[in-house]
Amino acid sequence: MVNRSDLQKIDDQTWEIPQSYRPDMRVPARLYTSERMLDSILADRSLEQLVNVATLPGIQRHALAMPDVHEGYGFPIGGVAAFDLEDGVISPGGIGYDINCGVRLLTSRVVLDDVRDRVPKLAHSMAREIPSGVGRGGALRLKGADLDAVLTGGARQAIAMGYGEEADLRGIESNGALSEADAALVSDRAKQRGSDQLGTMGAGNHFVEIDVVEAIFDEQDAAGLGLFRNQLAVLIHTGSRGLGHQIATDFLKRMTKAMPRYGLSIPDRELACAPFGSPEGTEYFAAMAAGANFAWANRQVITASARRAWRFELGDEGALAVLYDVAHNVAKIEEHQIGSVRRNVVVHRKGATRAFPGQPVLIPGSMATGSWVLIGRDEAMRETFGSSCHGAGRTMSRSRAKKEIDGGELKRRMQEMGISVEGGSLAGLVEEAPEAYKDVDAVIDVVHRAGIAKKVARLRPVAVIKG
């Protein structure tokens, strides 16, 4: 286990595990956090996992951990790593099972005070329109060429099917589709699992929230994004459902078998990987891109459902517009400065958000607390491969939360805070209780002070719809 004494403090929000910590490390491991949050991070295996990432072939500059970091599968959640395209690897553990789990923010022109008494009915209508729950499918069922078109076209294909408008694409990372996708490389089993899940939320930490803009921290940037105080907005958090999970499962098995052929030795079997240019590497990347496209199409169809509920309850008041949509679990080929030259690398972001200069960065907090809109800054390109945190970060396992938190009491507490709660079991609710997460405001403070992304607005939930 990594101890506090193993960390070298660079400044008040940056710490480093030097390359000399372990002989197999190829680069240092860098952590963004505060002194106050450091003990909670050291309590799990996340930094040990980060050190393991630093041993992978072709890794560039640093293995990085954001302030919301916690233990994951192979890579820590909140981890970022970039690999050389020729000498480096790609690892499904560096993207995660829920490919392109991400967040979309929809904004309205409605002020909370004008519709406060209608929020519970609005939440109920959204819960009715958006299927949720473990393995739950929806009314939309796709197969064959229709499903392949979604895997290739992403959000654009969902819009072509009638679930949105062309303007939505301008507010989606990568315009809602990765061009490298190849539907033929997604297994029949993965397609079967995803065939009825387009437009569905799922369970776990996925949600749809109705939020109010509680505070503005940068008036100019907020105005540029169309944000104002007391404005109602809708936050959607979900990913590629069973389809993405199966893609990860398929390629983890395949890479595990292939590694000896490439002479790859790893410190943790969960880091199964393959050279990026190998058949296993290029085919995983193309299948992962298809999974990412499915997730963008999923959030697009959910957007259409949210708009339908909005119109039903509020008529034409302040139609919902896409402010932005970001991926949290994805690998992308990007150009970054490596030493004295700029070159393409494959950036793994697992529980991390792209934070390019001027780009909106959406950070959902724990349930019943608050969420943030930030703007990416130049420092992110220099230090973190244009990456930021993605949320609050767990401090308590789901099983422990179920043992220690009373679901009925949590629901009553949320209602007393003025938050309507729709859907989901009490057991599912306690898994995402605020006590199970770090303080999202403290996480945001680190990112802001580090110059990775700056604060623009804070959102407070007034309704939560869960699976």
Side-chain angles (χ1 to χ4, degrees), residues 31-237:
L31 167 67
Y32 290 88
T33 191
S34 65
E35 186 94 36
R36 185 163 63 89
M37 290 191 291
L38 194 54
D39 286 339
S40 67
I41 293 172
L42 290 166
D44 67 16
R45 293 180 57 249
S46 56
L47 294 189
E48 180 184 345
Q49 291 183 322
L50 189 67
V51 168
N52 290 340
V53 173
T55 72
L56 294 178
I59 189 168
Q60 302 295 303
R61 292 194 340 212
H62 300 91
L64 297 165
M66 296 296 116
D68 55 337
V69 68
H70 53 289
E71 188 175 335
Y73 183 91
F75 279 58
I77 299 167
V80 178
F83 296 88
D84 183 78
L85 295 186
E86 294 183 5
D87 302 325
V89 297
I90 187 167
S91 172
I95 291 93
Y97 278 98
D98 192 359
I99 295 167
N100 191 5
C101 177
V103 172
R104 176 177 294 203
L105 181 62
L106 310 175
T107 55
S108 76
R109 304 303 298 172
V110 174
V111 174
L112 174 61
D113 290 344
D114 292 341
V115 296
R116 189 183 299 272
D117 60 339
R118 287 187 275 175
V119 167
K121 290 185 67 178
L122 178 59
H124 184 71
S125 290
M126 285 193 180
R128 186 177 62 242
E129 290 284 350
I130 304 167
S132 64
V134 177
R136 173 87 182 275
L140 183 59
R141 297 172 187 272
L142 300 174
K143 60 182 180 180
D146 292 335
L147 181 54
D148 285 355
V150 168
L151 297 175
T152 303
R156 180 176 294 279
Q157 180 60 26
I159 290 169
M161 294 161 58
Y163 296 98
E165 49 203 54
E166 189 77 12
D168 293 342
L169 297 175
R170 294 196 293 271
I172 306 176
E173 181 179 334
S174 299
N175 297 122
L178 297 180
S179 60
E180 299 92 344
D182 187 342
L185 295 173
V186 177
S187 69
D188 290 342
R189 174 59 180 149
K191 291 177 180 178
Q192 181 184 29
R193 291 185 66 181
S195 63
D196 66 346
Q197 292 189 332
L198 202 65
T200 67
M201 188 198 314
N205 65 344
H206 294 161
F207 63 80
V208 173
E209 277 185 358
I210 303 170
D211 292 331
V212 61
V213 178
E214 182 179 54
I216 298 291
F217 292 82
D218 189 304
E219 296 285 353
Q220 183 174 348
D221 281 330
L225 296 174
L227 295 173
F228 56 89
R229 289 177 183 81
N230 299 318
Q231 173 187 22
L232 274 192
V234 175
L235 196 64
I236 298 167
H237 178 211

Side-chain angles (χ1 to χ4, degrees), residues 207-209 367-368 414 419-422 461-466:
F207 63 80
V208 173
E209 277 185 358
M367 187 180 63
M414 291 174 66
I419 302 172
S420 299
V421 182
E422 283 286 341
V462 294
V464 175
I465 300 105
K466 286 195 60 63

Side-chain angles (χ1 to χ4, degrees), residues 260-430:
R261 187 162 68 250
Y262 298 113
L264 291 171
S265 177
I266 54 175
D268 181 351
R269 64 178 182 82
E270 293 181 357
L271 291 174
C273 58
F276 183 76
S278 69
E280 293 82 4
T282 56
E283 291 177 15
Y284 167 70
F285 185 65
M288 180 224 67
N293 291 351
F294 185 88
W296 273 313
N298 187 27
R299 293 197 287 275
Q300 186 64 43
V301 176
I302 290 174
T303 296
S305 298
R307 285 169 168 163
R308 194 159 53 244
W310 189 276
R311 286 193 301 271
F312 182 79
E313 296 296 343
L314 303 182
D316 293 328
E317 295 180 57
L320 297 172
V322 177
L323 185 145
Y324 207 66
D325 180 308
V326 292
H328 288 166
N329 295 343
V330 76
K332 300 177 81 171
I333 297 174
E334 297 171 355
E335 185 181 80
H336 288 278
Q337 188 79 23
I338 308 295
S340 60
V341 299
R342 292 189 65 82
R343 68 172 189 263
N344 285 337
V345 290
V346 57
V347 181
H348 294 56
R349 295 187 180 95
K350 179 182 182 180
T353 302
R354 196 180 73 169
F356 283 10
Q359 176 210 300
V361 179
L362 310 176
I363 310 296
S366 58
M367 187 180 63
T369 55
S371 299
W372 284 84
V373 178
L374 313 177
I375 290 283
R377 303 184 71 179
D378 291 337
E379 188 72 8
M381 300 304 288
R382 291 190 289 268
E383 300 294 336
T384 66
F385 299 103
S387 306
S388 179
C389 61
H390 88 304
R394 294 194 76 93
T395 57
M396 185 186 297
S397 69
R398 287 180 167 85
S399 58
R400 181 183 160 198
K402 287 179 180 178
K403 292 177 183 177
E404 296 185 9
I405 301 168
D406 179 84
E409 191 277 330
L410 172 61
K411 189 171 184 178
R412 285 191 297 274
R413 192 191 340 153
M414 291 174 66
Q415 290 170 337
E416 288 170 0
M417 295 167 63
I419 302 172
S420 299
V421 182
E422 283 286 341
S425 64
L426 289 180
L429 203 64
V430 299

